[in-house]
Amino acid sequence: MTTQHSVKVVGSADKTVDCGAEQTLLDAFLRSGVYLPNSCNQGTCGTCKVKLCSGTVDQPAVSETVLSADDQASGFVLACQSSPTSDAEIEVPLDAGSGPAHPLRDLQGTVHEIRELAHDTVALSVGIDEPLSFSAGQYLEFVVPGSGQIRQYSMANPPSSADRLEFHVRRVPDGAATDRWIFDTLEPGDPIEMRGPWGDFVHGADTDAPMILLAGGTGLAPLKSIALEALDQTPDREIHLYHGVRHRGDLYDVDFWSELRESHPNVHYNPCVSREEWPGRSGYVGDAVVADFDSLRGYVAYLCGPPAMVEAGVKACKRRRMPGRHIHREKYTPAPVAEMTPA
């Protein structure tokens, strides 16, 4: 029988869950439908840090760039990396707020279609037997067959079409999930083992504020989900999408966004190419935003892509006087080699 430990959030009588000895705190809480802040689920961002007030946990070594020496000395641990070795109590930082509380699930999917989007990018259409409850912007973990490794891919479809999921996958040279699986042997009809939803990068309750969407590469996927949900709620929502890539051949979903622009006059599509001359807009998405707007007061922004692009985009939004609380971001970073934790 698997050992179970009781883990309680201090000061919250209704936030006590049972956690397996080899199960992470984050996994246990999310499976119970109890929200804990989370983002990368890889131990690299620090979003899920909680304070261990009593009890003990197993946790691999954590970089001081993620948890400072002072934090670690004060008892802070990463919920996505820590498994209890006794009953425990944790304290969630006061500024954590609330977030999506969709129960974490193990999913069995079936590939319906693999569609080429660009020279090194495909769209996976995956069907699931029971619709998935998730918030626009969240992601799933894929289990790479035969390896135990996991990779993370954001849903590109809106929550309203949750029985067939869309993912955008860019080839990584010699990648365990891409070159050696998705771009090599994966075919329609094949099963995919998944887990989720994860992440706090979600479409928020920002009324009908006009939106700035900044995407780098396949960071476009969650922004597509966010844009479609926003338009489901408010068809005349003002949305400015900037999609940044290095080369013209890296652009994808151009027809989709062009058609969306035609059917929704307040949607503005701005593809940007940074390393190649072409008939369209050249340069970086952050610079394009600065050039297009004198002020972004009253706007909200969602940014997703490589860290450098996201950081530059945040600076551009703040330069145009957008408050930091209105800027939502997700950085794509290389996935470490990690194995699934038994639930």
Side-chain angles (χ1 to χ4, degrees), residues 135-165:
S135 295
Q138 289 191 293
Y139 67 86
L140 294 183
E141 292 178 334
F142 285 22
V143 182
V144 181
S147 72
Q149 296 183 40
I150 61 171
R151 294 295 184 267
Q152 301 169 332
Y153 299 105
S154 299
M155 280 74 77
N157 57 288
S160 58
S161 57
D163 57 347
R164 182 173 293 195
L165 309 177

Side-chain angles (χ1 to χ4, degrees), residues 73-304:
S74 298
F76 282 94
V77 297
L78 298 180
C80 76
Q81 301 293 302
S82 301
S83 299
T85 54
S86 71
D87 290 349
E89 291 187 328
I90 62 173
E91 183 177 278
V92 180
L94 293 176
D95 60 355
S98 60
H102 307 290
L104 186 69
R105 291 173 46 196
D106 295 313
L107 302 166
Q108 294 294 328
T110 302
V111 178
H112 281 236
E113 182 184 17
I114 304 173
R115 177 169 51 91
E116 183 176 331
L117 294 175
H119 69 95
D120 64 351
T121 304
V122 298
L124 290 185
S125 176
V126 180
I128 51 178
D129 293 337
E130 183 181 343
L132 174 68
S133 175
F134 71 96
S135 295
Q138 289 191 293
Y139 67 86
L140 294 183
E141 292 178 334
F142 285 22
V143 182
V144 181
S147 72
Q149 296 183 40
I150 61 171
R151 294 295 184 267
Q152 301 169 332
Y153 299 105
S154 299
M155 280 74 77
N157 57 288
S160 58
S161 57
D163 57 347
R164 182 173 293 195
L165 309 177
E166 178 184 332
F167 305 93
H168 300 166
V169 182
R170 186 172 185 268
R171 182 193 294 268
V172 176
D174 198 36
T178 56
D179 262 359
R180 287 181 268 154
W181 177 39
I182 294 172
F183 283 80
D184 183 21
T185 62
L186 191 66
E187 296 181 350
D190 285 352
I192 294 184
E193 184 180 348
M194 303 177 292
R195 180 169 70 174
W198 301 94
D200 288 352
F201 178 70
V202 296
H203 178 222
D206 44 33
T207 63
D208 297 331
M211 304 171 72
I212 301 292
L213 307 180
L214 300 184
T218 52
L220 183 64
L223 299 187
K224 181 177 182 179
S225 178
I226 288 171
L228 290 175
E229 182 180 59
L231 291 173
D232 280 347
Q233 297 172 354
T234 310
D236 61 351
R237 185 78 170 266
E238 181 184 340
I239 298 176
H240 299 263
L241 169 73
Y242 294 82
H243 186 201
V245 296
R246 293 182 175 182
H247 304 283
R248 184 177 183 179
D250 298 327
L251 287 172
Y252 71 87
D253 256 4
V254 174
D255 290 344
F256 168 83
W257 289 100
S258 298
E259 291 170 5
L260 192 67
R261 179 176 57 189
E262 291 298 320
S263 59
H264 294 80
N266 284 336
V267 172
H268 306 272
Y269 171 52
N270 302 281
C272 302
V273 175
S274 63
R275 302 285 181 87
E276 179 182 343
E277 292 296 328
W278 73 302
R281 195 158 193 172
S282 297
Y284 297 103
V285 292
D287 294 336
V289 168
V290 170
D292 288 352
F293 293 89
D294 293 326
S295 173
L296 288 174
R297 288 189 180 277
Y299 284 74
V300 296
Y302 294 85
L303 299 78
C304 187

Side-chain angles (χ1 to χ4, degrees), residues 58-62 81-82:
D58 272 341
Q59 176 183 259
V62 178
Q81 301 293 302
S82 301

Side-chain angles (χ1 to χ4, degrees), residues 10-126:
V10 174
S12 301
D14 59 339
K15 293 184 178 180
T16 300
V17 305
D18 290 330
C19 184
E22 297 183 357
Q23 183 181 17
T24 67
L25 299 174
L26 181 60
D27 187 283
F29 274 83
L30 295 186
R31 283 185 187 277
S32 299
V34 180
Y35 170 75
L36 284 184
N38 69 101
S39 182
C40 76
N41 196 30
Q42 299 174 357
T44 59
C45 73
T47 301
C48 67
K49 78 172 184 178
V50 295
K51 186 174 183 178
L52 186 65
C53 299
S54 68
T56 55
V57 300
D58 272 341
Q59 176 183 259
V62 178
S63 168
E64 290 188 16
T65 61
V66 180
L67 275 183
S68 69
D70 287 344
D71 274 350
Q72 295 186 51
S74 298
F76 282 94
V77 297
L78 298 180
C80 76
Q81 301 293 302
S82 301
S83 299
T85 54
S86 71
D87 290 349
E89 291 187 328
I90 62 173
E91 183 177 278
V92 180
L94 293 176
D95 60 355
S98 60
H102 307 290
L104 186 69
R105 291 173 46 196
D106 295 313
L107 302 166
Q108 294 294 328
T110 302
V111 178
H112 281 236
E113 182 184 17
I114 304 173
R115 177 169 51 91
E116 183 176 331
L117 294 175
H119 69 95
D120 64 351
T121 304
V122 298
L124 290 185
S125 176
V126 180

